[in-house]
Amino acid sequence: MASKITLCAVLFCFLLMFSSEMQITDAKYCGKPSKGWNGKCFPKKCNHWCKNKEHGAYYGSCYKGYCYCYYKC
């Protein structure tokens, strides 16, 4: 009986070790003010601008009234 409990405990430990090794991390993005945006910021337009006009930007959003483009850090 004790050997079954020991075996289960060892298997459980291995399972924990392997699950902690395989963590999935989210991509991190860093924001920079848009180089070419002028005027008041509108979220949809800013997003479209950053994706299409700013080289390498993944998306854009408004922050304190300014258009920020986000790139992978």
Side-chain angles (χ1 to χ4, degrees):
M1 182 75 162
S3 64
K4 286 184 181 180
I5 294 173
T6 305
L7 179 63
C8 288
V10 170
L11 288 175
F12 184 71
C13 289
F14 278 118
L15 186 68
L16 285 176
M17 285 187 341
F18 287 117
S19 67
S20 65
E21 296 272 332
M22 297 174 49
Q23 294 177 352
I24 298 173
T25 58
D26 293 331
K28 293 186 180 184
Y29 296 99
C30 298
K32 296 179 184 177
S34 173
K35 296 174 185 170
W37 184 269
N38 291 320
K40 187 177 178 182
C41 186
F42 297 99
K44 287 184 181 179
K45 289 184 178 182
C46 174
N47 186 40
H48 180 74
W49 173 270
C50 289
K51 286 184 190 178
N52 295 304
K53 302 288 184 179
E54 303 277 337
H55 181 69
Y58 286 90
Y59 68 96
S61 70
C62 298
Y63 178 70
K64 293 185 179 182
Y66 297 100
C67 179
Y68 275 74
C69 299
Y70 290 85
Y71 305 85
K72 268 192 178 173
C73 295

